[in-house]
Amino acid sequence: MNLNNIHNIYFIGIGGIGMSAIARYFNANGKQVGGYDKTKTDITDSLVALGVSVTFKDDISNLESHYLNPETTLIVYTPAVPKNHVQLNYFLDNTFKVLKRSEVLGLITEHSFCLAVAGTHGKTTTTSILGHLLNECDVKLTAFLGGISENYNSNLILNGDKVSVVEADEFDRSFLTLSPDMACITSMDADHLDIYGDASELIKTFEDFTKKLKPNGKLFVKNGLPLNGITYGIEDNADYSAQNITIKDGAYVFDVKTPKTVVKQFKFNLPGRHNLSNALVALAMSLEYGLPQDQLIKALATYKGVKRRFTYQIKTNDIVFIDDYAHHPEEINAVHQAVREMYPNDKVVAVFQPHLFSRTKDFAQDFAKSLAQFDQILLLDIYPARELPIEGVTSDWLLGMIDNKNKKLVTKQTMIQHIKASNARIVLTIGAGDIGAEVSKIKTELLNES
């Protein structure tokens, strides 16, 4: 498909983080952009402010006429949209060009030098670090991010079309539509078992992704993963390794051993070894791309992070409030490691909202183990997202498995009083559901208290 012949682009699920980045891209490139989403959010508001038309009613009658011309209109949808969606079925039944988000990303990036970031955890942070490094080094790039960058207050970095930086999403095997020049794989922990059935099928799909690299393409893999490529790791014998790591004023200072040399004194402001690992592979890809070391040292020091990825909401002597998107046991372990490294002697209360019934069921024991590490756990009901309930799979069921006497099931209405009653200096909110919408309320209440 030639995107030059497409004048109107309509997104079903336009408020999704990945969808809205592509909507922003097409809007910036002069296309007529509109879309549907089921709820009004900060993301849909920001799109409307750019001139994008957004509807919240799933019918055809209120669509602008230009989106009803199949010759000049492309329909983009997310796999999270239900099969009985009225608009989607209308477009499918009436000879419109209808593509998944990932297929459109493949079309946009196929004529650029594409750097793709894959892995079950760490994609969004790594992609945003990589996009920031390239942008600060004046590379003409477009970066599609799976979160809102603190540096750009956007999920799109748009500075030209020579290079594209994309999140390669394993959900629904979406990343197999890409053909990158460089790719990295940060992790391959079992996830999305509702799609894959078992972990071996997930690993096979990552192997299939590595075969999508262009001829002479470069693959970067976290040291220890069962794949061949340029390895990276923390204080180990990988091709790219972070060495001499110290913490100064809450930031990591470290050297990078490359296959040819040692680059000294990088500074990185995000806590947690998992984030340090993400920064390392972004640096490795940037160095292999040919960016100058001194510019990369300056660029990394100015990286601020991604919203809802270990985001400090309050940081005072009395209280520290951190919000994080973690929704898998390994991600919760990473948040715990980061908190303990930064605040080894303080009491930590964690408020967790499980995401998906299927994920809770598949990893219940691992969730219980990861959550038990905190001093106190406040558990919200499971956020269903795209799923119907599974009998017997509830937060109360999960709570019973957590080996920690300081645990409680709470509601959104009562959680703030339980947070205050905990007298913990460190407050964490964790989860990928609508817990993010509660953060500003919690912040206001805690600030009023202190």
Side-chain angles (χ1 to χ4, degrees), residues 137-157:
C137 292
D138 301 317
V139 174
K140 300 298 172 205
L141 89 153
T142 302
F144 298 92
L145 313 178
I148 304 297
S149 159
E150 298 277 10
N151 287 81
Y152 305 95
N153 199 29
S154 176
N155 52 351
L156 180 73
I157 306 172

mmCIF file of all heavy atoms in Angstrom, residues 137-157:
data_model
loop_
_atom_site.group_PDB
_atom_site.id
_atom_site.type_symbol
_atom_site.label_atom_id
_atom_site.label_comp_id
_atom_site.label_asym_id
_atom_site.label_seq_id
_atom_site.Cartn_x
_atom_site.Cartn_y
_atom_site.Cartn_z
ATOM 1 N N CYS A 137 21.450 13.759 19.563
ATOM 2 C CA CYS A 137 22.625 13.715 18.671
ATOM 3 C C CYS A 137 22.259 14.161 17.250
ATOM 4 O O CYS A 137 22.987 13.863 16.287
ATOM 5 C CB CYS A 137 23.218 12.303 18.650
ATOM 6 S SG CYS A 137 23.957 11.819 20.225
ATOM 7 N N ASP A 138 21.112 14.849 17.125
ATOM 8 C CA ASP A 138 20.683 15.476 15.861
ATOM 9 C C ASP A 138 20.426 14.498 14.725
ATOM 10 O O ASP A 138 20.604 14.836 13.552
ATOM 11 C CB ASP A 138 21.708 16.540 15.406
ATOM 12 C CG ASP A 138 21.888 17.627 16.455
ATOM 13 O OD1 ASP A 138 20.867 18.064 17.008
ATOM 14 O OD2 ASP A 138 23.041 18.000 16.723
ATOM 15 N N VAL A 139 20.009 13.274 15.059
ATOM 16 C CA VAL A 139 19.602 12.316 14.017
ATOM 17 C C VAL A 139 18.187 12.671 13.584
ATOM 18 O O VAL A 139 17.324 12.992 14.408
ATOM 19 C CB VAL A 139 19.647 10.871 14.578
ATOM 20 C CG1 VAL A 139 19.099 9.882 13.560
ATOM 21 C CG2 VAL A 139 21.081 10.503 14.966
ATOM 22 N N LYS A 140 17.923 12.632 12.283
ATOM 23 C CA LYS A 140 16.585 12.912 11.755
ATOM 24 C C LYS A 140 15.727 11.664 11.968
ATOM 25 O O LYS A 140 15.837 10.687 11.231
ATOM 26 C CB LYS A 140 16.654 13.271 10.267
ATOM 27 C CG LYS A 140 17.512 14.497 9.981
ATOM 28 C CD LYS A 140 16.946 15.728 10.662
ATOM 29 C CE LYS A 140 17.866 16.941 10.584
ATOM 30 N NZ LYS A 140 17.619 17.880 11.684
ATOM 31 N N LEU A 141 14.895 11.683 12.999
ATOM 32 C CA LEU A 141 14.199 10.454 13.358
ATOM 33 C C LEU A 141 12.746 10.687 13.700
ATOM 34 O O LEU A 141 12.325 11.812 14.004
ATOM 35 C CB LEU A 141 14.878 9.792 14.564
ATOM 36 C CG LEU A 141 14.381 10.223 15.958
ATOM 37 C CD1 LEU A 141 14.603 9.109 16.956
ATOM 38 C CD2 LEU A 141 15.064 11.495 16.424
ATOM 39 N N THR A 142 11.997 9.571 13.654
ATOM 40 C CA THR A 142 10.645 9.505 14.211
ATOM 41 C C THR A 142 10.644 8.343 15.195
ATOM 42 O O THR A 142 11.012 7.228 14.832
ATOM 43 C CB THR A 142 9.599 9.233 13.106
ATOM 44 O OG1 THR A 142 9.683 10.269 12.119
ATOM 45 C CG2 THR A 142 8.199 9.224 13.686
ATOM 46 N N ALA A 143 10.260 8.622 16.443
ATOM 47 C CA ALA A 143 10.215 7.561 17.459
ATOM 48 C C ALA A 143 8.784 7.405 17.966
ATOM 49 O O ALA A 143 8.166 8.377 18.403
ATOM 50 C CB ALA A 143 11.158 7.892 18.623
ATOM 51 N N PHE A 144 8.271 6.178 17.869
ATOM 52 C CA PHE A 144 6.931 5.849 18.359
ATOM 53 C C PHE A 144 7.081 5.174 19.719
ATOM 54 O O PHE A 144 7.669 4.091 19.811
ATOM 55 C CB PHE A 144 6.231 4.893 17.381
ATOM 56 C CG PHE A 144 6.013 5.477 16.013
ATOM 57 C CD1 PHE A 144 6.959 5.298 15.000
ATOM 58 C CD2 PHE A 144 4.865 6.216 15.724
ATOM 59 C CE1 PHE A 144 6.763 5.835 13.742
ATOM 60 C CE2 PHE A 144 4.665 6.754 14.462
ATOM 61 C CZ PHE A 144 5.615 6.567 13.465
ATOM 62 N N LEU A 145 6.566 5.824 20.769
ATOM 63 C CA LEU A 145 6.785 5.343 22.130
ATOM 64 C C LEU A 145 5.501 4.767 22.717
ATOM 65 O O LEU A 145 4.406 5.238 22.428
ATOM 66 C CB LEU A 145 7.265 6.496 23.029
ATOM 67 C CG LEU A 145 8.396 7.379 22.487
ATOM 68 C CD1 LEU A 145 8.714 8.492 23.475
ATOM 69 C CD2 LEU A 145 9.637 6.559 22.192
ATOM 70 N N GLY A 146 5.661 3.777 23.592
ATOM 71 C CA GLY A 146 4.519 3.154 24.254
ATOM 72 C C GLY A 146 4.185 3.798 25.585
ATOM 73 O O GLY A 146 3.535 3.197 26.441
ATOM 74 N N GLY A 147 4.638 5.021 25.782
ATOM 75 C CA GLY A 147 4.361 5.763 27.014
ATOM 76 C C GLY A 147 4.636 7.234 26.754
ATOM 77 O O GLY A 147 5.159 7.596 25.693
ATOM 78 N N ILE A 148 4.282 8.079 27.710
ATOM 79 C CA ILE A 148 4.492 9.523 27.545
ATOM 80 C C ILE A 148 5.870 9.887 28.094
ATOM 81 O O ILE A 148 6.135 9.748 29.289
ATOM 82 C CB ILE A 148 3.401 10.334 28.278
ATOM 83 C CG1 ILE A 148 2.004 9.915 27.798
ATOM 84 C CG2 ILE A 148 3.627 11.827 28.085
ATOM 85 C CD1 ILE A 148 1.712 10.184 26.347
ATOM 86 N N SER A 149 6.745 10.332 27.208
ATOM 87 C CA SER A 149 8.100 10.719 27.605
ATOM 88 C C SER A 149 8.055 11.979 28.462
ATOM 89 O O SER A 149 7.379 12.953 28.115
ATOM 90 C CB SER A 149 8.938 10.975 26.347
ATOM 91 O OG SER A 149 10.046 11.793 26.645
ATOM 92 N N GLU A 150 8.793 11.960 29.578
ATOM 93 C CA GLU A 150 8.876 13.155 30.431
ATOM 94 C C GLU A 150 9.640 14.282 29.722
ATOM 95 O O GLU A 150 9.376 15.451 29.965
ATOM 96 C CB GLU A 150 9.576 12.813 31.760
ATOM 97 C CG GLU A 150 8.846 11.783 32.618
ATOM 98 C CD GLU A 150 7.739 12.379 33.463
ATOM 99 O OE1 GLU A 150 7.386 13.554 33.260
ATOM 100 O OE2 GLU A 150 7.215 11.654 34.324
ATOM 101 N N ASN A 151 10.576 13.921 28.847
ATOM 102 C CA ASN A 151 11.349 14.945 28.133
ATOM 103 C C ASN A 151 10.516 15.690 27.099
ATOM 104 O O ASN A 151 10.691 16.891 26.888
ATOM 105 C CB ASN A 151 12.558 14.323 27.426
ATOM 106 C CG ASN A 151 13.662 13.917 28.381
ATOM 107 O OD1 ASN A 151 13.592 12.860 28.985
ATOM 108 N ND2 ASN A 151 14.669 14.751 28.547
ATOM 109 N N TYR A 152 9.614 14.980 26.418
ATOM 110 C CA TYR A 152 8.884 15.571 25.287
ATOM 111 C C TYR A 152 7.389 15.728 25.569
ATOM 112 O O TYR A 152 6.658 16.271 24.739
ATOM 113 C CB TYR A 152 9.089 14.700 24.027
ATOM 114 C CG TYR A 152 10.557 14.508 23.728
ATOM 115 C CD1 TYR A 152 11.248 13.378 24.188
ATOM 116 C CD2 TYR A 152 11.292 15.477 23.042
ATOM 117 C CE1 TYR A 152 12.604 13.214 23.958
ATOM 118 C CE2 TYR A 152 12.649 15.324 22.795
ATOM 119 C CZ TYR A 152 13.299 14.185 23.270
ATOM 120 O OH TYR A 152 14.655 14.038 23.049
ATOM 121 N N ASN A 153 6.944 15.249 26.738
ATOM 122 C CA ASN A 153 5.520 15.247 27.097
ATOM 123 C C ASN A 153 4.657 14.700 25.959
ATOM 124 O O ASN A 153 3.599 15.218 25.632
ATOM 125 C CB ASN A 153 5.047 16.653 27.494
ATOM 126 C CG ASN A 153 3.763 16.585 28.290
ATOM 127 O OD1 ASN A 153 3.516 15.599 28.990
ATOM 128 N ND2 ASN A 153 2.912 17.582 28.155
ATOM 129 N N SER A 154 5.151 13.640 25.331
ATOM 130 C CA SER A 154 4.476 13.060 24.168
ATOM 131 C C SER A 154 4.918 11.612 24.015
ATOM 132 O O SER A 154 5.939 11.199 24.576
ATOM 133 C CB SER A 154 4.840 13.858 22.909
ATOM 134 O OG SER A 154 4.270 13.270 21.759
ATOM 135 N N ASN A 155 4.133 10.845 23.239
ATOM 136 C CA ASN A 155 4.542 9.484 22.890
ATOM 137 C C ASN A 155 5.086 9.424 21.461
ATOM 138 O O ASN A 155 5.194 8.352 20.871
ATOM 139 C CB ASN A 155 3.380 8.501 23.073
ATOM 140 C CG ASN A 155 2.109 8.955 22.366
ATOM 141 O OD1 ASN A 155 2.026 10.078 21.870
ATOM 142 N ND2 ASN A 155 1.113 8.095 22.326
ATOM 143 N N LEU A 156 5.429 10.599 20.937
ATOM 144 C CA LEU A 156 6.015 10.682 19.586
ATOM 145 C C LEU A 156 7.148 11.699 19.602
ATOM 146 O O LEU A 156 6.985 12.819 20.090
ATOM 147 C CB LEU A 156 4.938 11.119 18.580
ATOM 148 C CG LEU A 156 5.379 11.254 17.128
ATOM 149 C CD1 LEU A 156 5.607 9.884 16.491
ATOM 150 C CD2 LEU A 156 4.337 12.027 16.316
ATOM 151 N N ILE A 157 8.316 11.285 19.110
ATOM 152 C CA ILE A 157 9.414 12.235 18.860
ATOM 153 C C ILE A 157 9.517 12.372 17.352
ATOM 154 O O ILE A 157 9.749 11.381 16.650
ATOM 155 C CB ILE A 157 10.764 11.742 19.448
ATOM 156 C CG1 ILE A 157 10.636 11.418 20.936
ATOM 157 C CG2 ILE A 157 11.863 12.776 19.220
ATOM 158 C CD1 ILE A 157 11.872 10.740 21.541
#
